[in-house]
Amino acid sequence: MTLGLALAQSRRIAPALLAQLEQSAREKKSQLIDEIIASGTMTAHDVAIFAADKYQLPLVDLTQYNLNKVPPALAGNRDFHAHRLLPLGRRENRLILAMSDPGNQAGLDAIKQKYNLPVDAVVVEHDKLMTHVRSASDDSGGTFKSIAPVPAERKMIDYDPVASAGALRNKTAADIDDAPVVRFLHKLLTEAFHRGASDLHFEPFETFYRVRFRVDGVLQEVARPPLDIRDKISTRIKVLSRLDISEKRVPQDGRMKLLIALPKEKGSDGKDSKEPKETVEKAIDFRVSTLPTLFGEKIVIRILESSSDKLDIDQLGYEPAQKAMLLEVIKRPYGMVLVTGPTGSGKTVSLYTFLNRLNQGDINISTAEDPAEIQLPGINQVNVNEKAGLTFAAALRSFLRQDPDIIMVGEIRDLETADISIKAAQTGHLVFSTLHTNDAPTTLTRLMNMGVAPFNIASSVLMITAQRLARRLCTCKRPGELAREVLIDAGFQERELDGSWQPYHPVGCERCNGSGYKGRCGIYQVMPITEAMQQIILAHGTALQIAEQARKDGVLSLREAGLAKVKSGLTSLEEVLATTNM
């Protein structure tokens, strides 16, 4: 039973007030107990007495407890602090954990599962608990608040790798925190975030070990740590991601969330402040993937920008005609809209931009993703867990039993998922999903090759958008001439070379780190399924036939959409040629 429900049933807080406090907690991304105490509804002491009595747990006064006797490996372990738990010691083989909200059963279960140890909980006052948790977290160096670079010549502190899950219970993350390799890793993650990187690649080879960032779609080498610390780095990443550090023979996937201290760039008046810069903490999600290679584990960490602030369709870069067609289709009550493109082409951002526009109080939206990269309030998001049997198809079946209006499937990977998605689109639901194909016409033939009947495709798919991300020219760009033959070969028509525009070239400055590019812009092919196209699908037409009909319908190819970005000066011709095909 949650603390809020217990308080309501005991009539300690009126239901209306409880609802207000829960809403405030959701808006502030805090917890209910924080809002109860901050609002003055109940004191921390009153909450502790109530919780101890309601949940039948011992009540402990932390001011009378000697925390110096707690073993350092327990006191500094951030696994407990993340769940607002304070370890008080061990009794035989049982952990004694202090908590202020006994309704937080998920935190206790996480500790039990991770360390495979029985747990005894005691109740303490919330303000005293949080004081000790914050102090212990600061001492353990658990956030990115002050990370100094590690000199290259400084020797790493050796520690014995943990060989099994049992050893992990005796050698926790806190035991590793003193190693300079930890500060080095944290510095890399912080730098990657500030440079706008989408991924970090840790790659072991026979004679060297390198780290690369993917910035604006391009990999850049940023460091070559000593080869002998590759295992330490991979172990640290796997500990943070809750992965099995003893398993190095098979790939693993995990996630971690860490705090990064960001400087406040402007004062309250909107101008640059001359006072010492304050910092604000931001929780950043990282998705981790490990892969065994010949010389060790390659690890790729993707930075997940979970904020929904940038989900504006005007910022995606659709041409005006494309945007108008798209907005008309996503207002339909049922049917399927597919977004295609390679990994890292911005498909998820496009889908969530559509969902954000449709997200209203009278609409039930559910999504199944692997994993959920953007958190959007008002949408029911489900993380696929294939090991537990929660596949895309299983999630879809559950959605259809919960009266949905709009469904988003992270990716159609197999016939079963495709079949259920199409049936949902045919029975009064608007379905969004993605596929990995080169362009919009080949998406239809891809569905046929998966085994989907042409009739089902023609009757359910409303629109397909293919997309790429091209690097955007920095403000240091300069105009330049290109030979007429080069422009014609790229795909420009003679009538377009009328001298009313000129191409721009990258230059390079401090702002763009000398690359000439800063940020990325979308290139889109927006293809509505017309009646003529439906006839081609029903006749088992090829991708070439569908593409020819799309051209007749006025659909821009990816190359043509990219050339429009060249004409507007957003990107260079070289970038469009590198990201699109004729």
Side-chain angles (χ1 to χ4, degrees):
M1 181 186 298
T2 64
L3 180 62
L5 182 59
L7 289 167
Q9 289 181 351
S10 302
R11 298 184 179 180
R12 296 298 300 270
I13 297 181
L17 176 57
L18 180 63
Q20 293 178 5
L21 294 173
E22 289 175 339
Q23 177 64 24
S24 177
R26 285 192 293 269
E27 292 175 352
K28 296 179 181 179
K29 297 182 179 180
S30 59
Q31 294 188 11
L32 177 61
I33 190 170
D34 298 318
E35 299 304 312
I36 291 174
I37 296 171
S39 66
T41 305
M42 295 177 69
T43 65
H45 182 66
D46 291 338
V47 173
I49 293 177
F50 169 82
D53 179 66
K54 184 68 177 178
Y55 293 90
Q56 295 297 296
L57 294 173
L59 180 63
V60 173
D61 185 359
L62 283 179
T63 59
Q64 304 298 319
Y65 196 94
N66 186 5
L67 293 174
N68 292 328
K69 293 183 178 180
V70 179
L74 285 177
N77 191 336
R78 291 173 300 169
D79 288 341
F80 303 118
H81 308 153
H83 298 289
R84 294 187 168 194
L85 300 172
L86 187 67
L88 300 182
R90 296 178 65 165
R91 181 184 298 127
E92 297 180 349
N93 197 37
R94 305 181 70 86
L95 279 175
I96 310 300
L97 298 178
M99 62 192 316
S100 58
D101 180 3
N104 179 22
Q105 189 62 39
L108 294 175
D109 290 342
I111 296 300
K112 292 177 184 177
Q113 181 178 4
K114 181 175 178 62
Y115 296 99
N116 195 25
L117 287 175
V119 170
D120 289 335
V122 299
V123 176
V124 297
E125 294 175 40
H126 184 67
D127 51 355
K128 297 176 182 177
L129 170 72
M130 295 310 297
T131 298
H132 286 288
V133 165
R134 293 190 186 103
S135 175
S137 296
D138 290 343
D139 291 342
S140 69
T143 66
F144 293 120
K145 291 181 180 177
S146 57
I147 301 167
V150 182
E153 69 275 8
R154 185 171 180 180
K155 184 179 179 181
M156 299 295 174
I157 298 176
D158 288 330
Y159 63 94
D160 295 331
V162 184
S164 65
L168 181 58
R169 297 197 294 271
N170 300 319
K171 192 178 189 67
T172 64
D175 296 321
I176 306 172
D177 275 349
D178 292 333
V181 68
V182 175
R183 297 199 304 274
F184 172 72
L185 175 61
H186 287 176
K187 182 177 182 296
L188 282 176
L189 293 172
T190 306
E191 183 181 350
F193 177 79
H194 286 297
R195 289 178 58 176
S198 60
D199 303 271
L200 297 86
H201 293 243
F202 297 81
E203 301 170 312
F205 297 94
E206 184 175 11
T207 58
F208 65 94
Y209 185 64
R210 73 180 178 188
V211 181
R212 295 192 291 175
F213 294 168
R214 187 179 291 278
V215 180
D216 294 336
V218 178
L219 282 170
Q220 306 170 359
E221 184 172 327
V222 295
R224 286 206 177 192
L227 188 60
D228 58 358
I229 70 166
R230 59 188 175 188
D231 290 336
K232 297 181 175 65
I233 290 178
S234 63
T235 297
R236 176 60 182 169
I237 293 172
K238 290 164 79 172
V239 166
L240 290 173
S241 308
R242 308 293 190 265
L243 300 178
D244 185 353
I245 59 179
S246 65
E247 181 57 77
K248 300 181 180 180
R249 299 166 298 175
V250 297
Q252 297 187 69
D253 296 300
R255 292 187 70 167
M256 58 185 177
K257 177 178 287 189
L258 301 174
L259 291 177
I260 291 182
L262 302 176
K264 287 184 178 179
E265 296 294 341
K266 295 184 178 180
S268 58
D269 58 355
K271 299 179 180 179
D272 290 340
S273 174
K274 295 182 180 179
E275 300 296 328
K277 290 184 178 180
E278 300 179 3
T279 59
V280 292
E281 288 185 342
K282 182 174 182 179
I284 305 298
D285 286 309
F286 299 87
R287 186 174 69 194
V288 178
S289 173
T290 71
L291 179 70
T293 66
L294 289 176
F295 304 104
E297 287 183 291
K298 175 182 177 177
I299 298 179
V300 176
I301 301 177
R302 168 157 288 190
I303 301 175
L304 304 178
E305 181 54 71
S306 60
S307 172
S308 60
D309 299 337
K310 300 178 181 179
L311 299 179
D312 185 353
I313 197 168
D314 292 324
Q315 297 180 9
L316 293 183
Y318 287 98
E319 298 298 320
Q322 293 177 332
K323 176 185 171 183
M325 287 190 294
L326 187 61
L327 292 179
E328 180 185 354
V329 168
I330 66 174
K331 291 178 182 177
R332 304 267 185 95
Y334 57 87
M336 177 180 285
V337 177
L338 296 173
V339 180
T340 73
T343 301
S345 60
K347 299 187 298 295
T348 300
V349 173
S350 295
L351 284 175
Y352 265 96
T353 301
F354 306 156
L355 294 179
N356 189 45
R357 195 174 185 90
L358 299 170
N359 188 17
Q360 305 293 334
D362 59 345
I363 295 179
N364 180 15
I365 303 177
S366 297
T367 72
E369 303 161 82
D370 186 20
E373 298 185 12
I374 298 175
Q375 298 172 12
L376 198 58
I379 291 181
N380 307 290
Q381 297 174 265
V382 174
N383 273 335
V384 169
N385 186 347
E386 295 191 359
K387 292 182 179 179
L390 182 57
T391 62
F392 282 117
L396 272 170
R397 291 192 187 93
S398 296
F399 290 167
L400 295 176
R401 292 192 290 268
Q402 298 206 342
D403 188 29
D405 297 302
I406 299 174
I407 296 172
M408 195 269 272
V409 185
E411 182 183 350
I412 294 179
R413 297 177 178 174
D414 50 49
L415 176 59
E416 183 183 18
T417 305
D419 201 33
I420 299 174
S421 300
I422 285 177
K423 288 179 181 177
Q426 292 173 332
T427 54
H429 307 92
L430 185 60
V431 180
F432 294 94
S433 190
T434 70
L435 275 173
H436 286 85
T437 57
N438 291 327
D439 57 15
T442 57
T443 302
L444 296 171
T445 55
R446 166 75 174 136
L447 288 173
M448 295 182 199
N449 292 336
M450 289 174 65
V452 180
F455 171 80
N456 287 331
I457 298 173
S459 62
S460 60
V461 179
L462 301 175
M463 174 178 282
I464 301 172
T465 69
Q467 64 184 69
R468 298 290 188 276
L469 289 178
R471 290 183 295 172
R472 186 188 297 266
L473 284 168
C474 180
T475 53
C476 63
K477 63 185 179 183
R478 62 172 176 83
E481 296 296 330
L482 284 174
R484 193 178 189 87
E485 294 76 12
V486 173
L487 295 174
I488 295 295
D489 289 342
F492 283 105
Q493 301 295 321
E494 286 281 356
R495 64 178 182 275
E496 296 179 278
L497 307 181
D498 55 5
S500 62
W501 61 276
Q502 56 184 342
Y504 283 83
H505 299 276
V507 177
C509 64
E510 183 178 348
R511 181 173 179 270
C512 60
N513 295 318
S515 68
Y517 298 93
K518 184 69 175 178
R520 290 193 283 179
C521 61
I523 298 175
Y524 302 94
Q525 180 184 28
V526 178
M527 190 180 78
I529 306 302
T530 61
E531 290 185 8
M533 208 170 291
Q534 288 175 340
Q535 295 300 321
I536 297 174
I537 297 170
L538 291 172
H540 296 263
T542 65
L544 290 176
Q545 292 174 309
I546 296 171
E548 182 61 29
Q549 182 60 46
R551 179 173 292 278
K552 293 178 183 178
D553 295 335
V555 175
L556 294 178
S557 67
L558 283 169
R559 171 60 62 84
E560 291 168 338
L563 296 180
K565 297 292 190 293
V566 174
K567 290 178 66 175
S568 63
L570 285 177
T571 189
S572 66
L573 181 62
E574 296 84 359
E575 187 68 11
V576 169
L577 296 178
T579 55
T580 63
N581 292 326
M582 285 291 285

